[in-house]
Amino acid sequence: MAFQLKTNRKETENKTIRFPVQLIEQIDQVIGNQDVTFSSFVIQACEYALENMDVDAGQKK
């Protein structure tokens, strides 16, 4: 499944996180011509990562 940007979101809560400057620049480039905010991109990227990660790989047995 490919990562696709969505334009609308609702119900949110503020969190403060730090990003490497280079990562911010890369994200800004990608969303520059899209109808997507930085926050929306980060939320969607996190959702995509959570849906597609191998949960068992990081757990101890």
Side-chain angles (χ1 to χ4, degrees), residues 1 5 7 14 17 21 25 27 29 34-35 49-50 52 57:
M1 174 203 285
L5 296 173
T7 58
N14 287 331
I17 60 174
V21 173
E25 291 169 350
I27 293 170
Q29 273 188 330
Q34 305 287 326
D35 185 23
L50 289 169
N52 292 284

Side-chain angles (χ1 to χ4, degrees), residues 50 52-61:
L50 289 169
N52 292 284
M53 67 187 290
D54 184 0
V55 181
D56 295 330
Q59 295 179 354
K60 295 180 181 177
K61 292 185 178 185

